[in-house]
Amino acid sequence: MADGDFKSYCLNPTKPKFTPPPGAVDAHCHVFGPAAKFPFAPERKYTPYDAGKEALFKLRDFLGFSRNVIVQASCHGTDNSATIDALVNSGGKARGIAVVKPTVELAEFNDMDAAGMRGVRFNFLPRLVDATPPEVHLGVAKKIAPLGWHVVVYFEAPSREKITPFLKSLPTIVVLDHMSLPDAKKGVDHPDFQAYIRLLDENRNLWVKVTGPERISAQGRPYDDFVPFAKALVERFPDRVLWGTDWPHPNMTTHMPDDGVLTDMIPRIAPTAAQQRALLVDNPARLYWER
Ligand code: 0GY
């Protein structure tokens, strides 16, 4: 397959050697369509291949996970139907993160909550969405706070300073996607990543997903340069980290990751059984199932 010419996710992942502990959660994945049933949003910035709930649940079982957190992706805009359909057909084994219009009323949030949604996502990547003013996002965050929901924020490392006042203004737990895409070439000791660690140190409502080796690594497989970043965060913030596959891996340009290989990276970033249990079981359970 030519670089960037991806017609699907990895169809034959490797069986991982690592066995996730009972109750382990893949806390960052998506469903796409199928487009015939759940059309993609007209305002989308990319059109993915179909990647429906059946394939996601099969992957969950194959990799040895118990549950999923399904994050609404930008290609579906603010129509959460595909994600909700996956949640309500998961037998309680999935929770979700929605993307909503700022005008959403409480009744709609209550319906989404009943379906398994537990938060909203604010996306700041220009390649994925048109910009929304932070004060509009803040209005949504204030609406969802009383539900016990949280906020997921996707931004890139160069935006850290600009976005910090917004992050500090949020009244909920805030989960940062993909470690906010650090520059792997700079390394963990660079002032940029050290400032990121300080941000988490100083704001105890911030959590972080130690996900995205296929996006963050500058070296590519086996993603060795990703490991020190994720490991540093797991060590320092053991009770505020989450892990996920990011299946079905939209917008990959260099290669399509093997989800079994990604799963086998877990012991490299969380070497002890206690770290693995916190990362994969206790932290996501607290945030998504025990509210
Ligand atoms: C991810 C990453 C991406 C896409 C989206 O909402 C999205 O479309 O999140 C990406 O291209 O970085 O989290 O899966």
PDB file of all heavy atoms in Angstrom, residues 28 30 32 46 71-75 99 121 123 125 127-129 154 177-178 181 215 246-247 249-252, ligand 1:
ATOM      1  N   HIS A  28      -9.554   5.475  24.354  1.00  0.00           N
ATOM      2  CA  HIS A  28      -9.602   6.439  23.246  1.00  0.00           C
ATOM      3  C   HIS A  28      -9.725   5.683  21.925  1.00  0.00           C
ATOM      4  O   HIS A  28      -8.751   5.119  21.419  1.00  0.00           O
ATOM      5  CB  HIS A  28      -8.380   7.347  23.203  1.00  0.00           C
ATOM      6  CG  HIS A  28      -8.508   8.421  22.150  1.00  0.00           C
ATOM      7  ND1 HIS A  28      -9.014   9.675  22.416  1.00  0.00           N
ATOM      8  CD2 HIS A  28      -8.252   8.411  20.821  1.00  0.00           C
ATOM      9  CE1 HIS A  28      -9.031  10.394  21.299  1.00  0.00           C
ATOM     10  NE2 HIS A  28      -8.572   9.648  20.311  1.00  0.00           N
ATOM     11  N   HIS A  30     -12.656   5.451  18.230  1.00  0.00           N
ATOM     12  CA  HIS A  30     -13.756   6.107  17.525  1.00  0.00           C
ATOM     13  C   HIS A  30     -14.570   5.070  16.750  1.00  0.00           C
ATOM     14  O   HIS A  30     -14.085   3.965  16.489  1.00  0.00           O
ATOM     15  CB  HIS A  30     -13.228   7.114  16.497  1.00  0.00           C
ATOM     16  CG  HIS A  30     -12.176   8.051  16.994  1.00  0.00           C
ATOM     17  ND1 HIS A  30     -12.454   9.163  17.756  1.00  0.00           N
ATOM     18  CD2 HIS A  30     -10.823   8.052  16.826  1.00  0.00           C
ATOM     19  CE1 HIS A  30     -11.321   9.810  18.023  1.00  0.00           C
ATOM     20  NE2 HIS A  30     -10.320   9.152  17.486  1.00  0.00           N
ATOM     21  N   PHE A  32     -16.604   5.152  12.930  1.00  0.00           N
ATOM     22  CA  PHE A  32     -16.878   5.940  11.725  1.00  0.00           C
ATOM     23  C   PHE A  32     -17.997   5.246  10.952  1.00  0.00           C
ATOM     24  O   PHE A  32     -17.815   4.140  10.430  1.00  0.00           O
ATOM     25  CB  PHE A  32     -15.642   6.003  10.814  1.00  0.00           C
ATOM     26  CG  PHE A  32     -14.459   6.690  11.419  1.00  0.00           C
ATOM     27  CD1 PHE A  32     -13.184   6.328  11.032  1.00  0.00           C
ATOM     28  CD2 PHE A  32     -14.599   7.703  12.352  1.00  0.00           C
ATOM     29  CE1 PHE A  32     -12.072   6.960  11.572  1.00  0.00           C
ATOM     30  CE2 PHE A  32     -13.504   8.340  12.904  1.00  0.00           C
ATOM     31  CZ  PHE A  32     -12.236   7.966  12.509  1.00  0.00           C
ATOM     32  N   TYR A  46     -12.063  15.645   6.666  1.00  0.00           N
ATOM     33  CA  TYR A  46     -11.570  14.421   6.019  1.00  0.00           C
ATOM     34  C   TYR A  46     -12.717  13.421   5.957  1.00  0.00           C
ATOM     35  O   TYR A  46     -13.675  13.506   6.731  1.00  0.00           O
ATOM     36  CB  TYR A  46     -10.385  13.815   6.800  1.00  0.00           C
ATOM     37  CG  TYR A  46     -10.732  13.291   8.182  1.00  0.00           C
ATOM     38  CD1 TYR A  46     -11.073  11.957   8.383  1.00  0.00           C
ATOM     39  CD2 TYR A  46     -10.737  14.136   9.291  1.00  0.00           C
ATOM     40  CE1 TYR A  46     -11.399  11.473   9.655  1.00  0.00           C
ATOM     41  CE2 TYR A  46     -11.057  13.664  10.559  1.00  0.00           C
ATOM     42  CZ  TYR A  46     -11.390  12.335  10.726  1.00  0.00           C
ATOM     43  OH  TYR A  46     -11.718  11.863  11.967  1.00  0.00           O
ATOM     44  N   VAL A  71     -14.825   8.157  21.453  1.00  0.00           N
ATOM     45  CA  VAL A  71     -14.752   9.615  21.344  1.00  0.00           C
ATOM     46  C   VAL A  71     -15.322  10.033  19.991  1.00  0.00           C
ATOM     47  O   VAL A  71     -14.884   9.540  18.946  1.00  0.00           O
ATOM     48  CB  VAL A  71     -13.278  10.081  21.468  1.00  0.00           C
ATOM     49  CG1 VAL A  71     -13.167  11.590  21.299  1.00  0.00           C
ATOM     50  CG2 VAL A  71     -12.692   9.636  22.812  1.00  0.00           C
ATOM     51  N   GLN A  72     -16.306  10.932  20.032  1.00  0.00           N
ATOM     52  CA  GLN A  72     -16.886  11.456  18.794  1.00  0.00           C
ATOM     53  C   GLN A  72     -15.787  12.126  17.968  1.00  0.00           C
ATOM     54  O   GLN A  72     -15.085  13.015  18.460  1.00  0.00           O
ATOM     55  CB  GLN A  72     -17.975  12.465  19.166  1.00  0.00           C
ATOM     56  CG  GLN A  72     -18.527  13.284  18.032  1.00  0.00           C
ATOM     57  CD  GLN A  72     -19.551  12.525  17.194  1.00  0.00           C
ATOM     58  OE1 GLN A  72     -19.800  11.344  17.419  1.00  0.00           O
ATOM     59  NE2 GLN A  72     -20.134  13.203  16.239  1.00  0.00           N
ATOM     60  N   ALA A  73     -15.638  11.701  16.720  1.00  0.00           N
ATOM     61  CA  ALA A  73     -14.587  12.263  15.862  1.00  0.00           C
ATOM     62  C   ALA A  73     -15.151  13.390  15.003  1.00  0.00           C
ATOM     63  O   ALA A  73     -16.353  13.448  14.725  1.00  0.00           O
ATOM     64  CB  ALA A  73     -13.992  11.172  14.981  1.00  0.00           C
ATOM     65  N   SER A  74     -14.254  14.258  14.563  1.00  0.00           N
ATOM     66  CA  SER A  74     -14.676  15.470  13.852  1.00  0.00           C
ATOM     67  C   SER A  74     -15.404  15.171  12.543  1.00  0.00           C
ATOM     68  O   SER A  74     -16.220  15.973  12.101  1.00  0.00           O
ATOM     69  CB  SER A  74     -13.466  16.355  13.573  1.00  0.00           C
ATOM     70  OG  SER A  74     -12.535  15.664  12.758  1.00  0.00           O
ATOM     71  N   CYS A  75     -15.146  14.032  11.933  1.00  0.00           N
ATOM     72  CA  CYS A  75     -15.794  13.714  10.641  1.00  0.00           C
ATOM     73  C   CYS A  75     -17.296  13.518  10.803  1.00  0.00           C
ATOM     74  O   CYS A  75     -18.032  13.559   9.807  1.00  0.00           O
ATOM     75  CB  CYS A  75     -15.147  12.494  10.004  1.00  0.00           C
ATOM     76  SG  CYS A  75     -15.130  11.065  11.089  1.00  0.00           S
ATOM     77  N   VAL A  99     -19.437  15.543  20.910  1.00  0.00           N
ATOM     78  CA  VAL A  99     -19.133  16.894  20.404  1.00  0.00           C
ATOM     79  C   VAL A  99     -20.492  17.548  20.163  1.00  0.00           C
ATOM     80  O   VAL A  99     -21.350  16.949  19.494  1.00  0.00           O
ATOM     81  CB  VAL A  99     -18.305  16.846  19.111  1.00  0.00           C
ATOM     82  CG1 VAL A  99     -18.106  18.258  18.554  1.00  0.00           C
ATOM     83  CG2 VAL A  99     -16.944  16.202  19.377  1.00  0.00           C
ATOM     84  N   ARG A 121     -15.995  16.991  23.968  1.00  0.00           N
ATOM     85  CA  ARG A 121     -14.642  17.214  23.452  1.00  0.00           C
ATOM     86  C   ARG A 121     -14.558  18.560  22.766  1.00  0.00           C
ATOM     87  O   ARG A 121     -15.430  18.909  21.961  1.00  0.00           O
ATOM     88  CB  ARG A 121     -14.302  16.120  22.435  1.00  0.00           C
ATOM     89  CG  ARG A 121     -12.848  16.124  22.001  1.00  0.00           C
ATOM     90  CD  ARG A 121     -12.642  15.120  20.883  1.00  0.00           C
ATOM     91  NE  ARG A 121     -11.269  14.676  20.768  1.00  0.00           N
ATOM     92  CZ  ARG A 121     -10.758  14.161  19.659  1.00  0.00           C
ATOM     93  NH1 ARG A 121     -11.501  13.996  18.587  1.00  0.00           N
ATOM     94  NH2 ARG A 121      -9.492  13.784  19.611  1.00  0.00           N
ATOM     95  N   ASN A 123     -12.018  20.526  20.314  1.00  0.00           N
ATOM     96  CA  ASN A 123     -10.925  20.221  19.392  1.00  0.00           C
ATOM     97  C   ASN A 123     -10.325  21.545  18.902  1.00  0.00           C
ATOM     98  O   ASN A 123     -11.056  22.399  18.398  1.00  0.00           O
ATOM     99  CB  ASN A 123     -11.527  19.410  18.225  1.00  0.00           C
ATOM    100  CG  ASN A 123     -10.489  18.776  17.337  1.00  0.00           C
ATOM    101  OD1 ASN A 123      -9.403  19.312  17.173  1.00  0.00           O
ATOM    102  ND2 ASN A 123     -10.837  17.653  16.745  1.00  0.00           N
ATOM    103  N   LEU A 125      -7.521  21.621  16.792  1.00  0.00           N
ATOM    104  CA  LEU A 125      -6.601  21.376  15.679  1.00  0.00           C
ATOM    105  C   LEU A 125      -7.181  21.928  14.379  1.00  0.00           C
ATOM    106  O   LEU A 125      -8.207  21.429  13.899  1.00  0.00           O
ATOM    107  CB  LEU A 125      -6.337  19.861  15.526  1.00  0.00           C
ATOM    108  CG  LEU A 125      -5.113  19.340  16.280  1.00  0.00           C
ATOM    109  CD1 LEU A 125      -5.252  19.545  17.771  1.00  0.00           C
ATOM    110  CD2 LEU A 125      -4.847  17.897  15.946  1.00  0.00           C
ATOM    111  N   ARG A 127      -6.429  21.491  11.436  1.00  0.00           N
ATOM    112  CA  ARG A 127      -6.587  20.538  10.334  1.00  0.00           C
ATOM    113  C   ARG A 127      -7.852  19.674  10.499  1.00  0.00           C
ATOM    114  O   ARG A 127      -8.252  18.967   9.584  1.00  0.00           O
ATOM    115  CB  ARG A 127      -5.348  19.656  10.190  1.00  0.00           C
ATOM    116  CG  ARG A 127      -5.112  18.680  11.305  1.00  0.00           C
ATOM    117  CD  ARG A 127      -3.878  17.808  11.047  1.00  0.00           C
ATOM    118  NE  ARG A 127      -3.562  17.015  12.208  1.00  0.00           N
ATOM    119  CZ  ARG A 127      -4.157  15.873  12.544  1.00  0.00           C
ATOM    120  NH1 ARG A 127      -5.100  15.383  11.766  1.00  0.00           N
ATOM    121  NH2 ARG A 127      -3.809  15.223  13.632  1.00  0.00           N
ATOM    122  N   LEU A 128      -8.476  19.755  11.693  1.00  0.00           N
ATOM    123  CA  LEU A 128      -9.655  18.923  11.946  1.00  0.00           C
ATOM    124  C   LEU A 128     -10.957  19.711  12.029  1.00  0.00           C
ATOM    125  O   LEU A 128     -12.018  19.189  11.677  1.00  0.00           O
ATOM    126  CB  LEU A 128      -9.468  18.124  13.242  1.00  0.00           C
ATOM    127  CG  LEU A 128      -8.383  17.043  13.209  1.00  0.00           C
ATOM    128  CD1 LEU A 128      -8.212  16.425  14.592  1.00  0.00           C
ATOM    129  CD2 LEU A 128      -8.714  15.964  12.184  1.00  0.00           C
ATOM    130  N   VAL A 129     -10.887  20.939  12.527  1.00  0.00           N
ATOM    131  CA  VAL A 129     -12.121  21.726  12.724  1.00  0.00           C
ATOM    132  C   VAL A 129     -11.854  23.212  12.488  1.00  0.00           C
ATOM    133  O   VAL A 129     -10.726  23.675  12.634  1.00  0.00           O
ATOM    134  CB  VAL A 129     -12.677  21.576  14.173  1.00  0.00           C
ATOM    135  CG1 VAL A 129     -13.227  20.188  14.422  1.00  0.00           C
ATOM    136  CG2 VAL A 129     -11.622  21.947  15.203  1.00  0.00           C
ATOM    137  N   TYR A 154      -8.325  18.579  22.819  1.00  0.00           N
ATOM    138  CA  TYR A 154      -7.298  18.145  21.865  1.00  0.00           C
ATOM    139  C   TYR A 154      -6.605  19.392  21.316  1.00  0.00           C
ATOM    140  O   TYR A 154      -7.233  20.192  20.618  1.00  0.00           O
ATOM    141  CB  TYR A 154      -7.964  17.353  20.740  1.00  0.00           C
ATOM    142  CG  TYR A 154      -7.014  16.576  19.837  1.00  0.00           C
ATOM    143  CD1 TYR A 154      -5.686  16.348  20.171  1.00  0.00           C
ATOM    144  CD2 TYR A 154      -7.474  16.044  18.636  1.00  0.00           C
ATOM    145  CE1 TYR A 154      -4.851  15.614  19.339  1.00  0.00           C
ATOM    146  CE2 TYR A 154      -6.640  15.307  17.797  1.00  0.00           C
ATOM    147  CZ  TYR A 154      -5.333  15.100  18.147  1.00  0.00           C
ATOM    148  OH  TYR A 154      -4.498  14.380  17.327  1.00  0.00           O
ATOM    149  N   ASP A 177      -5.934  15.076  25.189  1.00  0.00           N
ATOM    150  CA  ASP A 177      -5.742  14.010  24.204  1.00  0.00           C
ATOM    151  C   ASP A 177      -4.287  13.906  23.762  1.00  0.00           C
ATOM    152  O   ASP A 177      -3.624  14.926  23.502  1.00  0.00           O
ATOM    153  CB  ASP A 177      -6.597  14.299  22.960  1.00  0.00           C
ATOM    154  CG  ASP A 177      -7.993  13.706  23.075  1.00  0.00           C
ATOM    155  OD1 ASP A 177      -8.199  12.796  23.895  1.00  0.00           O
ATOM    156  OD2 ASP A 177      -8.874  14.159  22.313  1.00  0.00           O
ATOM    157  N   HIS A 178      -3.817  12.666  23.609  1.00  0.00           N
ATOM    158  CA  HIS A 178      -2.528  12.377  22.966  1.00  0.00           C
ATOM    159  C   HIS A 178      -1.369  13.220  23.521  1.00  0.00           C
ATOM    160  O   HIS A 178      -0.524  13.708  22.762  1.00  0.00           O
ATOM    161  CB  HIS A 178      -2.621  12.610  21.450  1.00  0.00           C
ATOM    162  CG  HIS A 178      -3.700  11.803  20.766  1.00  0.00           C
ATOM    163  ND1 HIS A 178      -4.095  10.561  21.189  1.00  0.00           N
ATOM    164  CD2 HIS A 178      -4.455  12.079  19.672  1.00  0.00           C
ATOM    165  CE1 HIS A 178      -5.051  10.112  20.377  1.00  0.00           C
ATOM    166  NE2 HIS A 178      -5.300  11.015  19.470  1.00  0.00           N
ATOM    167  N   LEU A 181       0.268  16.132  21.792  1.00  0.00           N
ATOM    168  CA  LEU A 181       1.178  15.982  20.643  1.00  0.00           C
ATOM    169  C   LEU A 181       2.518  16.711  20.837  1.00  0.00           C
ATOM    170  O   LEU A 181       2.826  17.682  20.127  1.00  0.00           O
ATOM    171  CB  LEU A 181       0.484  16.455  19.347  1.00  0.00           C
ATOM    172  CG  LEU A 181      -0.812  15.716  18.975  1.00  0.00           C
ATOM    173  CD1 LEU A 181      -1.430  16.332  17.711  1.00  0.00           C
ATOM    174  CD2 LEU A 181      -0.577  14.226  18.752  1.00  0.00           C
ATOM    175  N   ARG A 215       1.241   8.943  15.982  1.00  0.00           N
ATOM    176  CA  ARG A 215       1.185  10.355  15.579  1.00  0.00           C
ATOM    177  C   ARG A 215       2.382  11.134  16.129  1.00  0.00           C
ATOM    178  O   ARG A 215       2.823  12.110  15.537  1.00  0.00           O
ATOM    179  CB  ARG A 215      -0.093  11.015  16.110  1.00  0.00           C
ATOM    180  CG  ARG A 215      -1.354  10.464  15.526  1.00  0.00           C
ATOM    181  CD  ARG A 215      -2.593  11.251  15.950  1.00  0.00           C
ATOM    182  NE  ARG A 215      -3.768  10.437  15.706  1.00  0.00           N
ATOM    183  CZ  ARG A 215      -4.296  10.259  14.505  1.00  0.00           C
ATOM    184  NH1 ARG A 215      -3.787  10.868  13.445  1.00  0.00           N
ATOM    185  NH2 ARG A 215      -5.345   9.487  14.346  1.00  0.00           N
ATOM    186  N   ASP A 246      -6.668   4.501  19.912  1.00  0.00           N
ATOM    187  CA  ASP A 246      -6.973   5.487  18.868  1.00  0.00           C
ATOM    188  C   ASP A 246      -7.493   4.809  17.594  1.00  0.00           C
ATOM    189  O   ASP A 246      -7.506   5.429  16.522  1.00  0.00           O
ATOM    190  CB  ASP A 246      -5.773   6.382  18.553  1.00  0.00           C
ATOM    191  CG  ASP A 246      -6.168   7.642  17.792  1.00  0.00           C
ATOM    192  OD1 ASP A 246      -7.370   7.955  17.749  1.00  0.00           O
ATOM    193  OD2 ASP A 246      -5.266   8.296  17.230  1.00  0.00           O
ATOM    194  N   TRP A 247      -7.913   3.540  17.685  1.00  0.00           N
ATOM    195  CA  TRP A 247      -8.542   2.878  16.528  1.00  0.00           C
ATOM    196  C   TRP A 247      -9.730   3.711  16.071  1.00  0.00           C
ATOM    197  O   TRP A 247     -10.393   4.276  16.916  1.00  0.00           O
ATOM    198  CB  TRP A 247      -9.024   1.473  16.967  1.00  0.00           C
ATOM    199  CG  TRP A 247      -9.570   0.633  15.869  1.00  0.00           C
ATOM    200  CD1 TRP A 247      -8.911  -0.249  15.082  1.00  0.00           C
ATOM    201  CD2 TRP A 247     -10.946   0.582  15.432  1.00  0.00           C
ATOM    202  NE1 TRP A 247      -9.774  -0.842  14.189  1.00  0.00           N
ATOM    203  CE2 TRP A 247     -11.022  -0.342  14.379  1.00  0.00           C
ATOM    204  CE3 TRP A 247     -12.129   1.240  15.812  1.00  0.00           C
ATOM    205  CZ2 TRP A 247     -12.225  -0.634  13.707  1.00  0.00           C
ATOM    206  CZ3 TRP A 247     -13.316   0.970  15.163  1.00  0.00           C
ATOM    207  CH2 TRP A 247     -13.352   0.040  14.119  1.00  0.00           C
ATOM    208  N   HIS A 249      -7.722   5.010  13.703  1.00  0.00           N
ATOM    209  CA  HIS A 249      -6.526   5.714  13.221  1.00  0.00           C
ATOM    210  C   HIS A 249      -6.763   6.559  11.964  1.00  0.00           C
ATOM    211  O   HIS A 249      -6.145   6.329  10.928  1.00  0.00           O
ATOM    212  CB  HIS A 249      -5.386   4.719  12.982  1.00  0.00           C
ATOM    213  CG  HIS A 249      -5.129   3.831  14.147  1.00  0.00           C
ATOM    214  ND1 HIS A 249      -4.524   4.268  15.301  1.00  0.00           N
ATOM    215  CD2 HIS A 249      -5.433   2.525  14.360  1.00  0.00           C
ATOM    216  CE1 HIS A 249      -4.453   3.268  16.173  1.00  0.00           C
ATOM    217  NE2 HIS A 249      -4.993   2.208  15.628  1.00  0.00           N
ATOM    218  N   PRO A 250      -7.615   7.587  12.073  1.00  0.00           N
ATOM    219  CA  PRO A 250      -7.827   8.461  10.918  1.00  0.00           C
ATOM    220  C   PRO A 250      -6.594   9.304  10.605  1.00  0.00           C
ATOM    221  O   PRO A 250      -5.760   9.529  11.489  1.00  0.00           O
ATOM    222  CB  PRO A 250      -8.970   9.376  11.383  1.00  0.00           C
ATOM    223  CG  PRO A 250      -8.825   9.438  12.871  1.00  0.00           C
ATOM    224  CD  PRO A 250      -8.357   8.051  13.269  1.00  0.00           C
ATOM    225  N   ASN A 251      -6.518   9.751   9.374  1.00  0.00           N
ATOM    226  CA  ASN A 251      -5.508  10.749   8.968  1.00  0.00           C
ATOM    227  C   ASN A 251      -4.075  10.287   9.127  1.00  0.00           C
ATOM    228  O   ASN A 251      -3.184  11.104   9.330  1.00  0.00           O
ATOM    229  CB  ASN A 251      -5.693  12.063   9.757  1.00  0.00           C
ATOM    230  CG  ASN A 251      -7.051  12.671   9.543  1.00  0.00           C
ATOM    231  OD1 ASN A 251      -7.502  12.749   8.398  1.00  0.00           O
ATOM    232  ND2 ASN A 251      -7.730  13.063  10.591  1.00  0.00           N
ATOM    233  N   MET A 252      -3.832   8.992   9.063  1.00  0.00           N
ATOM    234  CA  MET A 252      -2.440   8.541   9.067  1.00  0.00           C
ATOM    235  C   MET A 252      -1.875   8.717   7.655  1.00  0.00           C
ATOM    236  O   MET A 252      -2.543   8.405   6.668  1.00  0.00           O
ATOM    237  CB  MET A 252      -2.348   7.066   9.482  1.00  0.00           C
ATOM    238  CG  MET A 252      -2.645   6.827  10.948  1.00  0.00           C
ATOM    239  SD  MET A 252      -1.624   7.804  12.072  1.00  0.00           S
ATOM    240  CE  MET A 252       0.008   7.190  11.688  1.00  0.00           C
TER     241      MET A 252
HETATM  242  C1  0GY B   1      -7.721  11.077  17.027  1.00  0.00           C
HETATM  243  C2  0GY B   1      -7.081  11.938  16.165  1.00  0.00           C
HETATM  244  C3  0GY B   1      -7.493  12.535  15.050  1.00  0.00           C
HETATM  245  C4  0GY B   1      -8.799  12.771  14.592  1.00  0.00           C
HETATM  246  C5  0GY B   1      -9.795  13.166  15.382  1.00  0.00           C
HETATM  247  O1  0GY B   1     -11.827  14.149  15.786  1.00  0.00           O
HETATM  248  C6  0GY B   1     -11.091  13.691  14.937  1.00  0.00           C
HETATM  249  O2  0GY B   1     -11.356  13.644  13.751  1.00  0.00           O
HETATM  250  O3  0GY B   1      -9.647  13.135  16.682  1.00  0.00           O
HETATM  251  C7  0GY B   1      -6.366  13.100  14.329  1.00  0.00           C
HETATM  252  O4  0GY B   1      -6.438  13.205  13.090  1.00  0.00           O
HETATM  253  O5  0GY B   1      -5.364  13.485  14.978  1.00  0.00           O
HETATM  254  O6  0GY B   1      -7.846  11.385  18.209  1.00  0.00           O
HETATM  255  O7  0GY B   1      -8.132  10.012  16.615  1.00  0.00           O
END
